[in-house]
Amino acid sequence: MQLLQDKVAVITGGNSGIGKETAKLFAKEGAKVVVTGRRQDILDAAIEEIGHGAIAICGDVASVADQQHLVAEVGSRFGAVDIYMANAGVINLSTSGEVSEEEYDRHFAVNTRGVFFGVQTMAPLLRKGSSIIVTSSLAATKVLPNHTVYAGSKAALAAFARNWAIEFRERRIRVNILSPGPVETEILGKLGVSEADRPALERQLADLIPAGRMGQPEELARAALFLATDNFVNGLELLVDGGLSLA
Ligand SMILES: NC(=O)c1ccc[n+]([C@@H]2O[C@H](COP(=O)([O-])OP(=O)(O)OC[C@H]3O[C@@H](n4cnc5c(N)ncnc54)[C@H](OP(=O)(O)O)[C@@H]3O)[C@@H](O)[C@H]2O)c1
């Protein structure tokens, strides 16, 4: 018996990393999966890899018009949604002194506003008993070097999720947070760290993590499946970080 037989799952930022691995696992478990991202060519390749009839809808989570377009497309194809994973995110590491207005706004437009309006626009399509999963970060609760703006943009998500869990209670919609520690995905190439400095950074990170290594996106996908399917888990922030929160 597949765990997500005939469920409809929408995953933002589903063309890469954690979102794509989650899409693959959800599809394998029987879900009809919709993935989003801004790059059409990468989306096309992702749905080939995800298989099981997954579909891709190109759009920017920072744009409410794009979110409305996504909801209209999903609504016309499927009518309702069982799992909404607000997962798209951006990061650029820098000290607070180096952060430009543009970088600040980009982090909050994608990581914070994108999640808020993503849920607001998707809410009418969410079926009774559905599940919202918000991808945050360990950085929202643990101080990590040069993460200040990213951390701030993710920290708001826990408050959103707690409030939504109560706002949506009549519809039995559960809202949980998935907070990864360092995970080997494409995002490591987007940190603003040079290619030459990356191996050293990755080694440093792995040394800090009690598990002795970085996480794999498949491990986050399994945690997302747990949040999607366990009907008594609500308002949880699940850290999947190899124990880095303790170090
Ligand atoms: N990997 C880690 O170490 C780690 C740790 C903690 C938290 N996280 C969080 O986990 C989530 C997934 O990250 P990942 O590691 O899987 O990174 P990734 O491989 O870089 O994936 C990020 C995804 O977000 C999409 N995206 C970025 N900006 C977008 C926008 N404005 N509109 C729509 N889609 C957008 C990207 O697609 P396009 O570029 O095509 O738009 C991509 O699919 C993020 O929220 C990230 O903050 C990751």
Side-chain angles (χ1 to χ4, degrees):
M1 164 73 180
Q2 291 172 300
L3 288 171
L4 299 177
Q5 183 82 49
D6 297 329
K7 302 283 187 199
V8 176
V10 177
I11 303 175
T12 70
N15 64 15
S16 175
I18 294 166
K20 186 169 73 180
E21 285 308 319
T22 303
K24 283 161 68 176
L25 182 59
F26 283 11
K28 205 171 126 211
E29 288 293 343
K32 297 168 189 154
V33 175
V34 180
V35 291
T36 82
R38 291 162 305 173
R39 297 164 297 168
Q40 186 66 55
D41 53 335
I42 308 292
L43 278 169
D44 291 342
I47 56 172
E48 281 286 306
E49 198 182 327
I50 297 162
H52 302 273
I55 65 168
I57 298 174
C58 198
D60 185 341
V61 295
S63 156
V64 175
D66 283 8
Q67 304 264 29
Q68 288 166 341
H69 171 71
L70 168 69
V71 171
E73 282 288 317
V74 173
S76 72
R77 283 171 196 249
F78 301 109
V81 166
D82 301 280
I83 302 159
Y84 178 62
M85 183 168 175
N87 168 75
V90 292
I91 181 170
N92 186 52
L93 298 184
S94 50
T95 63
S96 291
E98 291 164 341
V99 174
S100 64
E101 276 185 79
E102 195 184 34
E103 269 304 286
Y104 181 98
D105 289 345
R106 186 172 76 98
H107 279 81
F108 279 79
V110 177
N111 297 348
T112 321
R113 195 173 176 274
V115 171
F116 182 84
F117 286 104
V119 169
Q120 185 199 61
T121 50
M122 192 56 72
L125 271 195
L126 293 175
R127 217 188 296 278
K128 188 168 183 185
S130 59
S131 165
I132 297 172
I133 302 165
V134 175
T135 309
S136 179
S137 170
L138 172 64
T141 48
K142 183 179 173 72
V143 175
L144 298 169
N146 301 326
H147 277 66
T148 308
V149 167
Y150 175 74
S153 71
K154 290 287 193 180
L157 304 182
F160 291 167
R162 282 195 299 271
N163 282 271
W164 284 329
I166 296 303
E167 278 192 55
F168 295 138
R169 64 181 290 173
E170 299 307 324
R171 295 164 62 197
R172 303 285 185 261
I173 295 172
R174 297 178 301 108
V175 188
N176 293 293
I177 299 252
L178 180 61
S179 279
V183 180
E184 282 179 28
T185 70
E186 269 188 29
I187 215 166
L188 299 173
K190 306 172 189 167
L191 300 174
V193 175
S194 72
E195 283 295 312
D197 291 340
R198 245 180 72 191
L201 175 76
E202 290 180 26
R203 263 197 314 277
Q204 269 173 14
L205 279 171
D207 284 347
L208 282 177
I209 301 171
R213 62 172 178 84
M214 311 244 293
Q216 295 300 316
E218 296 81 356
E219 293 172 307
L220 276 296
R222 288 197 291 274
L225 180 64
F226 163 70
L227 295 178
T229 52
D230 195 293
N231 281 328
F232 207 55
V233 174
N234 196 7
L236 175 74
E237 175 161 8
L238 180 58
L239 290 178
V240 182
D241 67 349
L244 182 55
S245 62
L246 311 169

